[in-house]
């Protein structure tokens, strides 16, 4: 059965028994094309996979007890990269630049609790990773925006 509005659908128990692995093929029907920067998420039971939506995608799920499937299609609002050790050492403030006129950015606080933390996470050891994260974000923006002169975008 399904639900109206924003509520989640209620699902009956599946008649499918004994499935160890499955593959789902999801594609846009009737010759439509998904809008730019669109993503699709497919959840089977407790397993969830998501990827950029390019009109047709295959999703493999292993060791599932299929009872229901949820599919979500969404657009990227923004993206950010940060050095994970900042969150492991306490809390990282991550600024996500958004493509919305009324929300130019979104600040997130990211923290982590983990077991077995080993190694030197000092700022000196991590400085190279800060540069790597900045480069990744700059290249993502160039790929997304596809400017005539990428060097202008990279200088900003």
């Amino acid at each position: 059965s399904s639900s109206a509005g924003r509520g989640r659908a209620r699902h009956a128990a599946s008649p499918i028994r004994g499935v160890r692995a499955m593959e789902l093929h999801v594609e846009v029907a009737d010759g439509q094309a998904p809008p730019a920067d669109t993503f699709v998420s497919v959840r089977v039971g407790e397993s969830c996979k998501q990827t950029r939506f390019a009109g047709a995608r295959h999703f493999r799920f292993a060791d599932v007890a299929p009872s229901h499937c949820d599919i979500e299609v969404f657009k990227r609002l923004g993206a950010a990269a940060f050095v994970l050790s900042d969150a492991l050492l306490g809390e990282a403030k991550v600024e996500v630049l958004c493509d919305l006129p009324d929300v130019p950015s979104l600040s997130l606080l990211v923290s982590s609790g983990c077991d077995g933390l080993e190694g030197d996470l000092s700022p000196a050891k991590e400085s190279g990773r800060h540069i790597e994260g900045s480069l990744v974000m700059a290249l993502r923006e160039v790929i997304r925006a596809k400017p005539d002169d990428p060097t202008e975008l990279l200088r900003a």
Side-chain angles (χ1 to χ4, degrees):
S1 71
S2 64
S3 63
R6 294 181 165 271
R8 292 185 66 92
R10 299 251 184 238
H11 304 283
S14 173
I16 304 170
R17 301 279 184 246
V19 173
R20 298 294 298 161
M22 66 185 308
E23 181 172 304
L24 292 176
H25 178 79
V26 178
E27 67 181 285
V28 178
D30 301 327
Q32 296 177 328
D37 226 10
T38 303
F39 296 81
V40 62
S41 169
V42 177
R43 176 180 297 275
V44 174
E46 296 300 316
S47 297
C48 184
K49 310 243 176 152
Q50 66 185 38
T51 187
R52 185 175 298 276
F53 197 25
R57 290 292 184 176
H58 291 274
F59 297 89
R60 287 194 51 77
F61 295 91
D63 294 324
V64 295
S67 61
H68 67 276
C69 179
D70 293 322
I71 297 177
E72 293 182 77
V73 178
F74 53 95
K75 287 186 63 84
R76 178 191 312 264
L77 299 181
F82 69 100
V83 177
L84 187 56
S85 64
D86 293 346
L88 295 175
L89 292 173
E91 189 172 81
K93 185 173 183 182
V94 179
E95 195 72 21
V96 179
L97 300 177
C98 298
D99 293 329
L100 299 171
D102 55 334
V103 183
S105 67
L106 181 63
S107 297
L108 304 175
L109 295 176
V110 181
S111 59
S112 173
C114 60
D115 294 332
L117 182 61
E118 295 178 14
D120 184 1
L121 297 177
S122 64
K125 295 279 185 184
E126 294 297 320
S127 64
R129 292 193 180 130
H130 283 287
I131 293 168
E132 181 180 324
S134 297
L135 286 172
V136 166
M137 288 306 299
L139 288 175
R140 282 183 187 160
E141 182 59 23
V142 166
I143 291 167
R144 187 192 67 73
K146 296 177 181 64
D148 292 332
D149 184 6
T151 56
E152 286 184 29
L153 185 61
L154 291 172
R155 286 188 198 130

